[in-house]
């Protein structure tokens, strides 16, 4: 049996490595250290949030062969906190150390076209779409959507429409490297679509039909190397300007039946990838009540941060457990929770004067838990931290979160 296929746990005292030094890596490092592991981070930025708190920090790019070799030398197992690491980097590491999730799973999450093909293969409904990689494909979509190469089979059309259903109005999304709504253009007409494709540099894209959303939700699943799967309760997410703003998790946060369907769909997606690690699956609930998968993230996710304070096992502990092949037990949410994202905008008063958000006043509210990522510079739209709010009931958690939002200058929800 090869080293990678061994089921032996990697015990505390060992070193866990992570590719990427952002806030997700930082919270992973904190959790791994709390459980008695040493940590190693690979990130070129000497002040990266995770690098600042890790035992070891390899300061190279993701593709630097020397840096990857050093991370492997330091680490007993490696994970990633960033889906846009080159799959080749994960493959290089996997030849030396156990790596989870696998490069093949990350490659699917990195590419919207592959991701959607995977949803279709798993029988999980996604938005009607077309792949646009060539001028011919663009012309075909514009002229006759039913003839467009890359159209999914009818079974994947959540609206039950015909394969020829028009994809406009739609959203053109670059196949790779998009996040927080970047790399997306909303288009109403064929002419707008052509201009949009030019504006993104004619890189491979998917055109998705614009769907009538009622709400958005997500599910975090963790799958062990032995196939055991556990999940966190389904999250209700509010986005503003393409960025997650608020996550609410408590009984009744979603319409009846949706949470169960979302958990089952998320598990199918993870199983289909033979996934090892923490996987976030994002969904849309449409106005007709149907559930449609949006995209996946092969790592802990912003919408799962509430689990740090509201669940007995957080998404970062699940990440540690899966990569270290420790047992997975079903997490239990012990408190209703609301998470507020703290964007850099909160560090600017009117007229752009810099300010410090009123932390003391916020923390005077019972059930507030502040998480800041140690980023040196606040910028508008930059994720600087989050506030988890827990309460004895959903009503109390919501009321406290609304009070905190008012103090911080976050619009009510
Ligand atoms: P993130 O990395 O923050 O999750 P992203 O850049 O990967 O975002 P998506 O999740 O694809 O982008 O889309 C961002 C938001 O745009 C969604 O959360 C949703 O609000 C809206 N959106 C995306 N696709 C559609 C669609 N087909 N119909 C309606 N709204 C959509
Ligand atoms: Mg998204």
């Amino acid at each position: 049996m090869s080293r990678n296929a061994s089921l032996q746990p990697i015990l505390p005292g060992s070193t866990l490595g992570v590719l990427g030094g952002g806030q997700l890596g930082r919270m992973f490092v904190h959790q791994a250290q709390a459980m008695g592991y040493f940590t190693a981070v690979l990130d070129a930025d000497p002040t990266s949030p995770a690098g600042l708190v890790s035992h070891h920090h390899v300061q190279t790019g993701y593709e630097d062969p020397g840096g990857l070799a050093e991370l492997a030398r330091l680490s007993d197992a490696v994970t990633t906190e960033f889906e846009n690491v080159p799959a080749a980097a994960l493959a290089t590491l996997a030849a030396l150390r156990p790596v989870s999730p696998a490069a093949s799973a990350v490659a699917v999450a990195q590419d919207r076209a592959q991701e959607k093909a995977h949803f279709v293969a798993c029988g999980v409904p996604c938005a009607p779409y077309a792949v646009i990689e060539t001028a011919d494909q663009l012309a075909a979509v514009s002229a006759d959507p039913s003839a467009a190469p890359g159209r999914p089979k009818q079974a994947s059309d959540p609206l039950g429409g015909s394969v020829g259903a028009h994809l406009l109005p739609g959203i053109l999304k670059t196949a790779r490297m998009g996040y927080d709504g970047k790399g997306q253009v909303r288009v109403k007409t064929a002419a707008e679509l052509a201009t949009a494709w030019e504006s993104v540099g004619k890189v491979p894209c998917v055109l998705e039909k614009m769907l009538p959303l009622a709400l958005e939700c997500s599910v975090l699943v963790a799958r062990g190397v032995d196939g055991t799967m556990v999940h966190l309760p389904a999250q209700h997410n509010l986005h503003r300007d393409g960025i997650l703003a608020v996550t609410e998790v408590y009984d009744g946060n979603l319409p009846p039946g949706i949470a169960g369907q979302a958990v089952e769909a998320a598990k199918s997606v993870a199983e289909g990838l033979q996934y090892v690690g923490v996987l976030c699956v994002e969904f849309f609930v449409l106005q007709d009540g149907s559930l449609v998968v949006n995209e996946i993230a092969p790592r802990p996710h912003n919408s799962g941060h509430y689990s740090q304070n509201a669940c007995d096992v957080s998404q970062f502990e699940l990440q540690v457990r899966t990569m270290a092949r420790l047992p997975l037990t079903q997490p239990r949410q012990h408190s209703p929770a609301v998470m507020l994202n703290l964007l850099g905008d909160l560090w600017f008063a009117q007229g752009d004067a810099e300010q410090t958000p009123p932390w003391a006043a916020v923390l005077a509210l019972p059930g507030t838990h502040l998480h800041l990522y140690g980023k040196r510079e606040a910028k508008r739209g930059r994720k600087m931290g989050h506030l988890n709010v827990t309460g004895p009931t959903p009503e109390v958690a919501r009321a406290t979160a609304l009070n905190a939002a008012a103090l911080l200058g976050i619009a009510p929800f």
Side-chain angles (χ1 to χ4, degrees), residues 98-156:
V99 171
S100 61
S104 55
V106 175
V108 171
Q110 277 175 352
D111 186 305
R112 289 188 194 274
Q114 282 193 50
E115 190 176 62
K116 287 197 160 36
H118 179 68
F119 298 148
V120 174
C122 293
V124 175
C126 65
Y129 73 100
V131 176
I132 298 178
E133 290 177 339
T134 65
D136 284 351
Q137 285 172 323
L138 178 78
V141 172
S142 305
D144 174 10
S146 65
R151 283 281 290 146
K153 293 192 177 60
Q154 190 164 357
S156 74

Side-chain angles (χ1 to χ4, degrees), residues 112 173 179-181 184 216 239 242 282 284 294-296 301:
R112 289 188 194 274
K173 303 182 178 183
Y179 68 99
D180 288 348
Q184 301 196 3
E216 299 188 52
H239 292 79
E282 294 180 37
F284 300 139
N294 173 24
E295 60 172 353
I296 59 177
H301 190 260

Side-chain angles (χ1 to χ4, degrees), residues 71-87:
L71 183 68
R73 190 187 66 76
L74 290 165
S75 309
D76 294 287
V78 177
T79 189
T80 179
E81 62 110 45
F82 176 58
E83 64 264 45
N84 291 326
V85 288

Side-chain angles (χ1 to χ4, degrees), residues 58-409:
V58 181
Q59 294 179 21
T60 71
Y62 302 124
E63 277 167 296
D64 185 294
L68 292 171
E70 177 66 357
L71 183 68
R73 190 187 66 76
L74 290 165
S75 309
D76 294 287
V78 177
T79 189
T80 179
E81 62 110 45
F82 176 58
E83 64 264 45
N84 291 326
V85 288
L90 288 173
T92 303
L93 287 168
L96 303 167
R97 289 289 182 267
V99 171
S100 61
S104 55
V106 175
V108 171
Q110 277 175 352
D111 186 305
R112 289 188 194 274
Q114 282 193 50
E115 190 176 62
K116 287 197 160 36
H118 179 68
F119 298 148
V120 174
C122 293
V124 175
C126 65
Y129 73 100
V131 176
I132 298 178
E133 290 177 339
T134 65
D136 284 351
Q137 285 172 323
L138 178 78
V141 172
S142 305
D144 174 10
S146 65
R151 283 281 290 146
K153 293 192 177 60
Q154 190 164 357
S156 74
D157 188 332
L159 302 178
S162 70
V163 172
H166 210 281
L167 295 176
L168 298 172
I171 307 187
L172 185 73
K173 303 182 178 183
T174 57
R176 304 179 72 87
M177 300 302 272
Y179 68 99
D180 288 348
K182 295 183 172 65
Q184 301 196 3
V185 189
R186 295 183 178 214
V187 291
K188 292 200 195 70
T189 62
E192 282 181 19
L193 173 62
T195 310
W197 195 48
E198 281 223 25
S199 77
V200 298
K202 297 189 178 177
V203 295
C205 285
V206 298
L207 173 67
E208 252 179 67
K209 188 178 176 71
M210 179 71 83
L211 300 177
L213 307 192
L215 58 91
E216 299 188 52
C217 63
S218 56
V219 171
L220 281 140
V221 289
R223 187 173 178 279
V225 71
D226 64 354
T228 306
M229 264 198 281
V230 300
H231 63 91
L232 291 172
Q235 296 110 208
H236 179 177
N237 302 323
L238 171 68
H239 292 79
R240 287 176 174 154
D241 299 328
I243 305 176
L244 182 65
V246 181
T247 294
E248 301 189 51
V249 194
Y250 41 74
D251 281 349
N253 65 341
L254 293 169
I258 288 294
Q261 284 177 47
V263 168
E264 284 318 304
K267 287 184 170 177
S268 303
V269 169
E271 191 66 40
L273 290 168
Q274 288 296 292
Y275 193 84
V276 177
V278 173
L279 178 76
C280 182
V281 184
E282 294 180 37
F283 298 92
F284 300 139
V285 177
L286 306 188
Q287 282 166 15
D288 68 1
S290 58
L291 184 75
V292 174
V293 64
N294 173 24
E295 60 172 353
I296 59 177
R299 49 169 173 78
H301 190 260
N302 195 167
S303 63
H305 290 351
Y306 74 99
S307 62
Q308 294 171 306
N309 299 106
C311 298
D312 60 355
V313 182
S314 74
Q315 63 171 347
F316 300 104
E317 180 167 347
L318 292 173
Q319 186 179 23
V320 171
R321 287 187 184 222
T322 51
M323 78 184 289
R325 304 172 185 144
L326 291 169
L328 288 179
T329 58
Q330 177 58 44
R332 181 178 62 85
Q333 184 178 6
H334 50 71
S335 299
V338 178
M339 185 228 46
L340 304 179
N341 256 350
L342 305 174
L343 299 183
D345 307 59
L346 307 187
W347 276 252
F348 297 98
Q350 283 190 342
D352 274 359
E354 287 189 29
Q355 65 177 11
T356 302
W359 302 133
V362 168
L363 292 171
L365 301 171
T368 54
H369 313 272
L370 181 63
H371 299 262
L372 291 174
Y373 308 146
K375 295 185 182 176
R376 299 287 164 94
E377 196 193 345
K379 290 185 197 151
R380 291 189 186 278
R382 187 176 198 199
K383 291 175 180 174
M384 302 298 290
H386 63 275
L387 186 78
N388 285 338
V389 181
T390 54
T393 64
E395 293 72 25
V396 170
R398 261 190 71 82
T400 308
L402 284 165
N403 283 339
L407 287 167
L408 290 163

